[in-house]
Amino acid sequence: YKSYLDRNWVESFFVIEPNHKPGTVFHYDTSSSHTLCALVEKLTGKPMLDYLKDTVLREIGFSENSYMLKDAFGTSMGGSGLMATPEDFLRFGMLLMNRGQIDGKQLISREYLEKARSVPPMRRMGAVRTGGGEGTICLFILSQMVSPEENSSIAVKKSGKTRETVH
């Protein structure tokens, strides 16, 4: 869908034919996340990050300096456009590790997170995708892995020639 820079990415999600049956091949594609982001923005009347900060992220101390890139049509780039610090992602990882709860307050549905963690690993080019699987939530926002069973959350940010790891 992003191969057409002059077309609205959200529109293309609905009109461009997939090249494989959903759920059969792992192919990195943020079109669903981008479309979901556009829907949230349309329904709430807020940019996606403002909505997330108002509902969850401020509660966990997420940076006010974080921002989201926008596509050529003004929609926040869901799936790949969030710019934040490794510490921000670590805080979010800790929230996931604690099954959506912080200081006794449930910010994300525990049932939703359990369901998300129960999805089996996808296949990629005939091999099981590394980084994630049953019981692990992998966020490819910058390189983050959260594993409640191993009591770990890791966030890695690479920019230019430097790399920051926070865990």
Side-chain angles (χ1 to χ4, degrees):
Y1 77 105
K2 290 181 183 176
S3 58
Y4 301 102
L5 298 178
D6 60 337
R7 291 179 71 175
N8 186 316
W9 292 352
V10 175
E11 176 188 335
S12 68
F13 175 78
F14 295 102
V15 297
I16 294 178
E17 199 67 32
N19 58 9
H20 60 273
K21 183 178 176 184
T24 60
V25 176
F26 177 79
H27 176 76
Y28 194 78
D29 178 355
T30 62
S31 60
S32 295
S33 299
H34 189 73
T35 301
L36 179 61
C37 182
L39 289 170
V40 169
E41 291 186 344
K42 179 78 170 172
L43 294 171
T44 64
K46 297 179 180 180
M48 183 65 169
L49 189 55
D50 289 351
Y51 172 75
L52 291 172
K53 284 180 178 181
D54 290 347
T55 57
V56 174
L57 299 180
R58 280 193 186 95
E59 292 278 344
I60 63 171
F62 210 83
S63 171
E64 288 298 324
N65 293 328
S66 57
Y67 63 95
M68 283 189 83
L69 301 175
K70 297 199 181 271
D71 68 15
F73 297 89
T75 303
S76 297
M77 293 174 62
S80 62
L82 179 59
M83 302 294 133
T85 67
E87 290 82 9
D88 289 335
F89 289 102
L90 182 62
R91 285 183 181 96
F92 190 74
M94 297 297 290
L95 177 64
L96 296 178
M97 206 167 68
N98 291 319
R99 291 167 168 72
Q101 189 176 81
I102 188 168
D103 297 330
K105 187 174 182 180
Q106 196 71 39
L107 298 177
I108 300 173
S109 163
R110 182 183 182 100
E111 293 79 19
Y112 170 80
L113 291 175
E114 291 300 323
K115 189 171 185 175
R117 292 177 58 238
S118 71
V119 174
M122 297 286 291
R123 296 220 166 263
R124 178 181 184 168
M125 308 294 182
V128 175
R129 170 176 53 110
T130 58
E134 289 191 60
T136 301
I137 297 173
C138 236
L139 303 172
F140 294 100
I141 298 169
L142 46 71
S143 286
Q144 178 169 5
M145 188 179 84
V146 178
S147 181
E149 285 73 22
E150 296 178 27
N151 196 32
S152 63
S153 177
I154 301 169
V156 179
K157 172 187 160 194
K158 186 171 187 321
S159 174
K161 295 182 180 182
T162 63
R163 177 180 286 172
E164 292 178 62
T165 303
V166 181
H167 47 91

